[in-house]
Amino acid sequence: LRILMVAQFYRPTIGGEERAVEDLSMALLHRGHDVAVATLSQEGLPPFEIDQGVRIHRIRSTTQRAGALFSDPSRPHVPPAPDPEAARGLKRVIESERPHVIHAHNWLVHSVVPIKKKLKTPLILSLHDHSLVCATKRLMRGERPCSGPALGKCLRCASQHYGVGKGVATTLALRHTAGSIRSAVDMFVPVSEDVARRSGLVGSELPYTIVPNIVPGRLLETNGAADVEALRLPDPGFVLFVGDVSVDKGADVLVEAYSGLSNAPPLVLIGRRLAPALEHAPAGVIALGKVGHATVAEAWRRCAIGVVPSVWAEPFGIVALEAMAMGRPVVAAESGALPEIVIDGETGLVTPPGDAVALRSALERLLADPDLRRRMGAAGRRRAADFSEDLVVPRIEEIYRTVMPTELADRVRSVAPSAAPLIGGAPAGAAVLDAPAPAPPDEEPLPVPPGRGWGAVPVLILFAAIGLALVAVADALSRTGHTGGRTLLWAGLLTIVVPIAFRLGSSAASRGERVALVTLLGLALYGIKVLHDPFAFTFGDELIHVHNANEILRTGHLFGDNSLLPVTPLYPGLEGATAALASLTGLSSFGAGLIVIGLARVLLTLGLFLFFEAVTRSSRVAGLATLLYAATPNYVFFSAQFSYESLALPMLAVLLFSVARYQRGAIAGDRRQWAVMILVLIGAIVVTHHMTSYAMVLVLAATSILYLVVRGPRARLGPWPFALIAAAATVLWLVLVASKTVGYLEPVFSHAVSDTFHTVSGESAPRKLFRSNSGQVAPVEDRILGIVSVLLLVAGLPFGLRVVWRRFRRNPLILMLAIAAVAYVGTLGLRAVPGAWETASRASEFLFIGVALVLALGGFERWGIWRAPWFGRVALCAGAVVLVSGGFVAGWQSSLRIAQTYRIDSNGHAIDPPGVNAARWSGRSLGGGNRIGAENGDARLFQLYGRQFALAGTYPDVQDLLHSTALDPWEPGFIQKWRFRYLAVDRREISADPLAAYFFPRPGQWNSGLRDPDAVEKFDRDARTERLYDNGEIVVYDVSRVGR
Amino acid sequence: MIPRRSDLLATALLAAASTGVLVGDLGPAALRVTAGLLLLLVLPGYALGRALFGERSLGGPERVLVSLALSTAVAIFDTLLVNASSLALTRHTWAATLGGVTIVGCLIASIGADVKPRMGRLTLPRVRDIALLAAAIAITSGAIALGRTPLDAPDGVTGYTELWLTPRDGRFELGVASEELGPATYRLILVADGRVVRQWSRIGLNTGGRWVKELPAGVGRSTGSLNAYLYKLDHPKTVYRRVRVSPGASASGP
């Protein structure tokens, strides 16, 4: 990004404001931006030079020629009005630099305004003082704070300050130009809340963002008192004041307070002597006058307490921050922005301005308590870290992005990966070591601004729609038994994914476009699942959850029965929201469920994108990572089904984003808001899904530990309070509401562990890969694609991990994701373990968040797409498409990825599968709530459509009961023990498969196998049974008399 | 004050109107669907997001995410809280509580000072973009319509017929439902102790057609079992479906 700083003075002229401009310029330069400065010319300095990479243009001003107007001719301040000569000079500079944004810092901005309209370049104005409303810039009337501007008052005040002529002219000029400044500036950037308030920004319509000054790393550097001035410092433990020794700065108040102290250490005053405060200074006061920076730093290092007793409203108070950065407690006056920086009782003590007694008391308290000084010093050092350039400069970049045209906005982010991380970034000193070389200047031509259009989004929406149409045709062909469906399904998938992947890899896409594209991708892939069966839910888990929603609607209460998965009603988040939507809108549970899961998909994609963006500060990396997350095998089908994890996982993504923003809130000032957001999400996740809540606790705990390891004392920013709260909430819910979960999950995990040992030791055979539960073997092309994608993933991870280590190793959140990525590779082995593959599969949707980010980082590093535009982009796009396709084939068995025959038409009448109608009959003829044993697939239908208390599977052992070829002696007792009233016997083998049992069987196809007739008809041979229902596939028996 | 907070006013009014529509069951179905979607998925999250973050501190995507996430969370917590009270979860309770949350959120948001920057700008689409979007909507609608349309059965897939005999209130319900792919004609016989006690020699049913007879309690009362056999007339010798009950044991019904 090309940035032009406009400041009346710049290096080598040094003052507080000049230092702030220089610090910001250098920081932006180090982050890969192209920075130029336009400033007033100075005698002996060339009109143009390059200083440490910053191009400095020195321009003449007309007022500058009247040197007699200025008390210090070396600092010819510009007036608050356009200066013709300066305006011409600025125009030339702007034409040669062609900046994307102009960042002004003082009244020189008035000379930008006349040319700004023609250029249409965004203009930002930093407010380092009160110059927006006050002719003297101080907002003081004599020695008292001013209550606010008023013409008469200002004329008098400015006249006293400047002299009558200059004072009146300055006041009138400021008032006259106020309107043009307010309309020309796109964003005001006051350095503190106090400046924002006193400048009238708070409560106004003017756009503004508070961004503090930077505490650069060099403030922490001392040269060990090598310079001569430092030799004049007393022994360590003195009280230190740094600044002009003036009434405004409260020097006289400090001396008065100090004179009353007993056994006081020396008081060192560093700065110009502008007031008679020292005429009667007591013994112990050492005035060093103006000294070099190294001596100041050394003085901070040696002192016991820093004092900032300013009477005037300090716009920022960098001196207090310097003291805090050196780990010193600060006694500050409650004036201006000082209370925003010094936290009373935590990093120092705040006293009323001008109150010598209170100041003395505060000094006494601190001098008497070394422990308190140490604690406050440590807290101050942590607080000062919040003002490091790692945290402040991204906010400036964010402002640039905000004010720029959408097409250019992403420029800020496109260079960001080269910079040190925002969240958990290194302290200022270390960041230099960790940061890679700055990205090259933005030399490639800017994309042609597409007017006020939406970039490529509309075209890609059209592509996605065509892709979905192809999928719909593919499904229709499959439902009607025609060939060609599989090819069309792939064509549809690729029509959706490839254009989006290609555009996301482009450097021309704006941030808004990327947001739209990842959302489009998520919804379009969800569309594939919806089009699979747009009549009704047909996935096994969906039938269980939609029953819960129906029960809520029927009974008006939560926590009803679910005989097939009793734990599900105890986590009613999804079903509660769905029931609410169904009830409010009158839609069916199916329709409402589709909407809720669609909403969840938006939360997932948007949450992941914003999370990735927050931790990497790159929308380009975020876009690619979100795309790569679609390569998780669960993405297209499993995570899109109507099931509790499909809502909980997206909320976890939003929580991760909130945690990242919470960390950033330390500087953005919105930590409390994000903390509330995190707490809300913790609660919502805990009541929605057990496994996701455990994953949430693990993620928060792991991140907290990494904070401790990486950040040391700065770990206070870590999310450990949330980890504790999440753990407590999860346990409480488990104990008070969902205790059944233990019995449900314990066998799953213990089985996974024991089976892993057995498989590794060779005691049991490994699971055959690419084979479904129903025994279907994946086609060879699916197997090849699956293997290639896994190899690509495993091969790509080291590149990404290398980037993580080089750039983000001090970033706990990214480290946590890197660990998750490595863990994912570990789970790949578990897919060969019969009892553990499902657990590994479920874990993948969490771990893949890390995989996606690491691969995205590695992809950009490896191919450097902005340096080799077409090749890198094509390679990256191709890799992403292979991974997404590999995930697609690995996630769902091949025969079920495409629609099966579910509802068929006969002369205008829709025929549903026999299982559905058998279940409906049971509800209609037998009433609901009967205990009925059935095959796994049928049982779900009987529960949902017949409202029966259905049981299936191996506990109780309904499976053996239904599959044995004769009524074995144990069976009557079993029927009686479990109080079965009915049994549904299905002659189709596929009926035991909870994924595939719901469709019309096709002769000679994968789902057409039949059971042993002896097993199917054995209840006919027992006179105690009654054969109540027969539809050719399913027979329902009344077995209530069996076993009596 | 009003212009700056006009979105809050609009949100509160929409919430009140939606609540009114849903509680009063007013207007056509499309209006109730719109009101329900707004009240559950949009308005509470927007209002609470404004109360929490102010007007300007979030960019567009962040605002959308926060609003949707908070709306979802509110729906979840609202359902839990109503369930914990003595109230039942009904359209009225959901509408009233969600509307209340939204209005309270708007009030809180309107009290708080807005001190944050405005972020993001809404860019209007060009005519070409609108045309592309319209085409995309049309194609997607077509895809959904195709997906939802029941199609002809594939080769080899047949329909089926349901037969049932269910005890009900001391009587029996004997029923036949045809889910065959075309019109079918059946013969149904009722057999007790090897003797045909009732017979329906020609039951013609179209697809989706249903034939139901209520049998008096006396039918087969003295016998051990009562069997019903269904034949399709195009295969008159083959029992197509059969059911059996024991009247003495099951006449009391399910």
Side-chain angles (χ1 to χ4, degrees):
Chain A
L1 196 70
R2 291 189 293 273
I3 301 155
L4 176 66
M5 297 285 175
V6 175
Q8 57 184 354
F9 305 123
Y10 192 72
R11 190 182 171 93
T13 304
I14 284 301
E17 183 178 302
E18 289 76 40
R19 202 183 288 279
V21 176
E22 185 188 346
D23 290 340
L24 179 59
S25 300
M26 296 309 296
L28 288 166
L29 187 80
H30 288 152
R31 293 169 65 82
H33 299 287
D34 190 14
V35 183
V37 175
T39 186
L40 294 180
S41 63
Q42 288 191 53
E43 234 179 279
L45 295 177
F48 175 78
E49 69 173 325
I50 300 177
D51 178 32
Q52 302 176 69
V54 176
R55 290 189 300 283
I56 304 172
H57 298 263
R58 295 194 177 88
I59 56 173
R60 296 285 305 176
S61 73
T62 305
T63 46
Q64 200 175 9
R65 297 177 188 277
L69 285 173
F70 307 102
S71 56
D72 181 355
S74 69
R75 295 171 72 90
H77 293 269
V78 292
D83 180 297
E85 214 171 341
R88 279 200 301 276
L90 282 168
K91 186 166 182 283
R92 279 196 305 275
V93 172
I94 291 168
E95 283 170 353
S96 69
E97 289 288 340
R98 294 189 301 116
H100 296 134
V101 62
I102 300 171
H103 190 160
H105 293 268
N106 39 47
W107 281 344
L108 192 53
V109 70
H110 289 274
S111 297
V112 178
V113 172
I115 51 178
K116 195 253 175 184
K117 222 172 190 176
K118 280 186 185 170
L119 295 166
K120 295 189 185 306
T121 309
L123 175 63
I124 289 167
L125 176 60
S126 272
L127 298 174
H128 298 274
D129 49 34
H130 305 293
S131 56
L132 190 65
V133 291
C134 176
T136 69
K137 308 179 185 178
R138 301 164 61 247
L139 264 183
M140 293 284 286
R141 293 207 68 197
E143 295 173 7
R144 287 177 290 110
C146 176
S147 58
L151 182 58
K153 193 167 64 173
C154 290
L155 285 172
R156 280 194 302 277
C157 178
S159 298
Q160 285 168 7
H161 188 80
Y162 294 117
V164 175
K166 190 176 163 189
V168 169
T170 306
T171 304
L172 295 178
L174 187 65
R175 290 183 74 86
H176 180 69
T177 55
S180 59
I181 281 290
R182 282 165 169 74
S183 61
V185 170
D186 294 288
M187 183 69 79
F188 292 92
V189 185
V191 293
S192 66
E193 171 83 25
D194 186 66
V195 170
R197 191 166 43 77
R198 286 168 181 265
S199 299
L201 296 175
V202 175
S204 76
E205 293 295 322
L206 296 173
Y208 74 97
T209 308
I210 299 166
V211 181
N213 286 331
I214 297 168
V215 179
R218 60 178 164 68
L219 279 184
L220 306 173
E221 298 162 6
T222 73
N223 58 6
D227 62 50
V228 176
E229 291 158 338
L231 299 177
R232 296 159 59 195
L233 292 171
D235 291 339
F238 51 85
V239 177
L240 181 60
F241 169 95
V242 175
D244 286 344
V245 182
S246 64
V247 173
D248 283 359
K249 293 285 186 181
D252 55 336
V253 180
L254 174 58
V255 169
E256 184 187 341
Y258 178 79
S259 62
L261 288 174
S262 53
N263 297 323
L267 168 63
V268 175
L269 305 174
I270 294 178
R272 294 182 300 172
R273 286 180 63 169
L274 300 179
L278 302 182
E279 282 175 4
H280 305 291
V285 175
I286 302 170
L288 294 183
K290 236 182 140 178
V291 300
H293 166 72
T295 304
V296 175
E298 184 62 20
W300 284 127
R301 198 179 67 77
R302 293 190 195 179
C303 77
I305 303 169
V307 189
V308 191
S310 300
V311 175
W312 85 298
E314 290 276 5
F316 185 62
I318 188 76
V319 172
L321 265 180
E322 284 183 17
M324 289 157 61
M326 297 299 282
R328 296 293 171 263
V330 177
V331 178
E334 192 177 3
S335 59
L338 286 173
E340 296 175 43
I341 292 168
V342 180
I343 301 173
D344 191 22
E346 187 178 324
T347 66
L349 300 172
V350 175
T351 63
D355 188 338
V357 176
L359 179 58
R360 184 185 305 135
S361 166
L363 287 170
E364 280 171 345
R365 186 179 160 201
L366 278 173
L367 288 169
D369 191 342
D371 278 348
L372 182 62
R373 292 205 302 269
R374 201 162 32 248
R375 280 202 307 278
M376 287 185 165
R381 195 193 293 273
R382 290 195 296 272
R383 169 93 176 125
D386 294 344
F387 296 80
S388 69
E389 67 181 53
D390 293 350
L391 299 179
V392 175
V393 179
R395 297 199 64 204
I396 295 286
E397 290 174 332
E398 188 74 8
I399 291 168
Y400 292 163
R401 189 181 60 72
T402 305
V403 299
M404 280 189 300
T406 318
E407 296 75 27
L408 295 177
D410 208 40
R411 290 277 155 180
V412 181
R413 294 178 181 277
S414 68
V415 298
S418 65
L422 166 66
I423 305 303
V432 177
L433 297 174
D434 288 349
D442 198 355
E443 288 171 352
E444 63 179 288
L446 292 174
V448 179
R452 292 176 62 77
W454 285 4
V457 173
V459 175
L460 296 186
I461 290 177
L462 183 62
F463 268 99
I466 293 169
L468 286 176
L470 291 172
V471 171
V473 174
D475 286 332
L477 288 175
S478 175
R479 282 191 200 108
T480 51
H482 293 89
T483 56
R486 279 174 57 86
T487 309
L488 268 185
L489 178 68
W490 276 105
L493 179 75
L494 295 176
T495 305
I496 293 167
V497 175
V498 173
I500 291 176
F502 199 68
R503 185 64 182 168
L504 284 174
S506 163
S507 60
S510 69
R511 182 204 185 225
E513 207 176 325
R514 291 178 206 282
V515 170
L517 292 184
V518 294
T519 309
L520 172 66
L521 178 76
L523 286 176
L525 293 181
Y526 176 57
I528 293 179
K529 190 270 167 191
V530 172
L531 287 172
H532 193 280
D533 293 298
F535 321 102
F537 289 126
T538 59
F539 292 11
D541 286 355
E542 292 182 324
L543 301 179
I544 283 176
H545 287 281
V546 78
H547 163 75
N548 293 340
N550 285 348
E551 284 299 287
I552 294 170
L553 287 169
R554 192 175 66 84
T555 64
H557 291 287
L558 302 176
F559 310 120
D561 276 335
N562 191 307
S563 56
L564 292 168
L565 205 47
V567 78
T568 53
L570 307 178
Y571 292 90
L574 172 69
E575 294 95 330
T578 303
L581 186 61
S583 175
L584 289 171
T585 58
L587 294 170
S588 66
S589 298
F590 172 65
L594 285 185
I595 291 172
V596 171
I597 297 297
L599 168 81
R601 181 46 64 93
V602 174
L603 289 178
L604 179 66
T605 46
L606 208 46
L608 283 179
F609 176 89
L610 293 173
F611 169 59
F612 291 141
E613 186 189 53
V615 292
T616 64
R617 291 199 316 263
S618 166
S619 65
R620 202 185 281 180
V621 171
L624 183 65
T626 311
L627 164 70
L628 287 173
Y629 185 76
T632 181
N634 291 342
Y635 193 83
V636 177
F637 290 111
F638 185 85
S639 294
Q641 63 178 340
F642 183 75
S643 183
Y644 42 14
E645 67 269 11
S646 301
L647 180 61
L649 176 68
M651 288 195 289
L652 180 64
V654 183
L655 181 132
L656 288 173
F657 166 64
S658 303
V659 169
R661 289 298 297 261
Y662 170 79
Q663 311 300 335
R664 189 160 125 186
I667 196 69
D670 53 6
R671 284 182 75 185
R672 266 182 295 182
Q673 288 90 331
W674 287 109
V676 171
M677 191 76 192
I678 292 168
L679 293 175
V680 167
L681 289 164
I682 286 174
I685 290 170
V686 163
V687 302
T688 299
H689 187 224
H690 40 78
M691 286 294 288
T692 309
S693 57
Y694 308 149
M696 169 182 68
V697 173
L698 275 177
V699 164
L700 291 173
T703 309
S704 304
I705 292 167
L706 286 168
Y707 256 93
L708 270 177
V709 172
V710 171
R711 307 294 300 281
R714 291 178 69 200
R716 73 188 173 90
L717 289 175
W720 60 267
F722 303 117
L724 292 177
I725 291 168
T730 303
V731 170
L732 273 178
W733 189 260
L734 188 69
V735 171
L736 298 179
V737 179
S739 54
K740 284 180 188 171
T741 313
V742 178
Y744 167 61
L745 290 179
E746 190 275 330
V748 175
F749 289 125
S750 58
H751 189 206
V753 172
S754 64
D755 232 29
T756 304
F757 281 116
H758 291 151
T759 306
V760 170
S761 64
E763 289 176 45
S764 59
R767 174 177 168 266
K768 288 186 177 166
L769 298 175
F770 302 108
R771 184 185 288 268
S772 73
N773 282 348
S774 56
Q776 259 201 296
V777 179
V780 67
E781 60 270 22
D782 282 12
R783 281 179 273 167
I784 292 172
L785 185 55
I787 290 169
V788 168
S789 69
V790 168
L791 290 177
L792 186 62
L793 184 152
V794 172
L797 281 180
F799 295 108
L801 293 172
R802 181 166 164 266
V803 177
V804 170
W805 179 251
R806 287 178 61 201
R807 294 184 182 170
F808 298 104
R809 65 173 179 267
R810 295 186 60 79
N811 185 324
L813 275 169
I814 293 189
L815 281 182
M816 182 268 296
L817 294 176
I819 292 169
V822 174
Y824 178 79
V825 176
T827 65
L828 290 176
L830 293 179
R831 288 172 188 261
V833 178
W837 77 270
E838 196 166 352
T839 306
S841 171
R842 299 290 169 89
S844 72
E845 60 195 22
F846 305 115
L847 300 177
F848 215 90
I849 297 174
V851 173
L853 181 65
V854 172
L855 284 178
L857 289 171
F860 277 103
E861 172 78 359
R862 185 68 183 155
W863 283 294
I865 63 167
W866 44 79
R867 294 189 180 88
W870 74 266
F871 176 75
R873 195 166 152 197
V874 168
L876 204 60
C877 170
V881 170
V882 168
L883 287 169
V884 172
S885 304
F888 182 63
V889 299
W892 216 241
Q893 70 187 57
S894 60
S895 56
L896 293 179
R897 286 200 291 272
I898 194 163
Q900 297 298 311
T901 309
Y902 183 86
R903 177 170 287 178
I904 53 183
D905 172 70
S906 177
N907 300 319
H909 175 74
I911 302 175
D912 284 337
V916 173
N917 273 338
R920 284 180 182 144
W921 166 83
S922 75
R924 203 170 52 237
S925 292
L926 307 177
N930 298 294
R931 295 173 77 89
I932 183 166
E935 298 286 359
N936 251 322
D938 292 338
R940 285 162 163 76
L941 297 174
F942 276 104
Q943 179 172 261
L944 174 60
Y945 295 108
R947 290 188 292 105
Q948 305 299 346
F949 192 87
L951 295 164
T954 54
Y955 187 81
D957 198 356
V958 177
Q959 189 174 298
D960 276 355
L961 177 69
L962 295 178
H963 294 182
S964 65
T965 52
L967 201 61
D968 292 334
W970 63 273
E971 293 181 5
F974 175 79
I975 289 170
Q976 194 177 25
K977 177 186 171 189
W978 287 94
R979 293 182 286 120
F980 283 111
R981 177 77 195 262
Y982 302 104
L983 290 176
V985 177
D986 195 321
R987 67 175 187 147
R988 301 166 303 164
E989 286 180 341
I990 199 71
S991 60
D993 185 341
L995 293 180
Y998 316 107
F999 308 102
F1000 280 94
R1002 289 196 215 159
Q1005 299 291 313
W1006 59 279
N1007 61 355
S1008 62
L1010 298 178
R1011 296 190 196 291
D1012 185 337
D1014 284 342
V1016 173
E1017 293 169 5
K1018 73 176 182 186
F1019 292 104
D1020 286 333
R1021 298 192 289 271
D1022 190 306
R1024 293 167 295 180
T1025 65
E1026 297 186 324
R1027 183 178 168 118
L1028 301 181
Y1029 173 90
D1030 179 4
N1031 69 18
E1033 309 288 0
I1034 299 170
V1035 174
V1036 176
Y1037 295 95
D1038 182 337
V1039 293
S1040 55
R1041 288 190 295 136
V1042 176
R1044 282 185 193 165
Chain B
M1 184 187 98
I2 294 301
R4 281 183 56 208
R5 292 164 181 163
S6 54
D7 63 323
L8 293 175
L9 186 63
T11 305
L13 289 175
L14 263 178
S18 299
T19 305
V21 165
L22 295 168
V23 170
D25 203 10
L26 306 173
L31 179 65
R32 291 197 298 275
V33 169
T34 307
L37 287 170
L38 281 173
L39 199 54
L40 191 85
L41 302 182
V42 180
L43 299 178
Y46 182 79
L48 294 181
R50 282 282 273 104
L52 195 56
F53 291 98
E55 183 185 6
R56 296 171 169 181
S57 67
L58 296 175
E62 289 86 349
R63 172 75 64 194
V64 170
L65 184 73
V66 164
S67 296
L68 293 179
L70 283 176
S71 287
T72 310
V74 166
I76 292 170
F77 293 133
D78 180 56
T79 303
L80 281 171
L81 288 174
V82 173
N83 183 71
S85 72
S86 56
L87 300 171
L89 292 162
T90 63
R91 188 175 72 236
H92 295 151
T93 52
W94 267 312
T97 49
L98 291 171
V101 167
T102 305
I103 290 167
V104 169
C106 289
L107 284 174
I108 294 170
S110 67
I111 292 166
D114 291 319
V115 295
K116 303 290 182 183
R118 172 177 49 83
M119 308 289 275
R121 293 169 181 168
L122 184 64
T123 308
L124 295 175
R126 293 172 297 174
V127 174
R128 186 188 72 115
D129 296 340
I130 293 172
L132 289 170
L133 291 173
I137 290 169
I139 291 170
T140 308
S141 303
I144 294 170
L146 174 62
R148 285 185 60 82
T149 305
L151 301 171
D152 292 343
D155 289 344
V157 169
T158 57
Y160 57 93
T161 297
E162 297 173 281
L163 172 68
W164 66 90
L165 181 57
T166 320
R168 173 172 293 176
D169 302 329
R171 298 171 165 232
F172 293 99
E173 181 184 281
L174 178 63
V176 180
S178 172
E179 300 293 330
E180 302 289 347
L181 297 180
T185 310
Y186 306 94
R187 182 166 71 97
L188 179 59
I189 60 173
L190 203 56
V191 178
D193 287 338
R195 289 189 303 112
V196 174
V197 293
R198 292 279 179 92
Q199 179 171 189
W200 295 268
S201 54
R202 193 173 187 84
I203 302 171
L205 293 175
N206 288 322
T207 309
R210 178 176 298 216
W211 177 93
V212 179
K213 273 282 181 224
E214 191 102 326
L215 301 179
V219 175
R221 169 66 74 183
S222 61
T223 66
S225 65
L226 183 64
N227 292 274
Y229 297 97
L230 184 72
Y231 298 82
K232 283 180 87 174
L233 289 190
D234 49 357
H235 293 88
K237 302 289 184 191
T238 308
V239 175
Y240 188 50
R241 301 283 183 263
R242 59 191 169 86
V243 289
R244 167 176 55 84
V245 296
S246 304
S250 59
S252 58

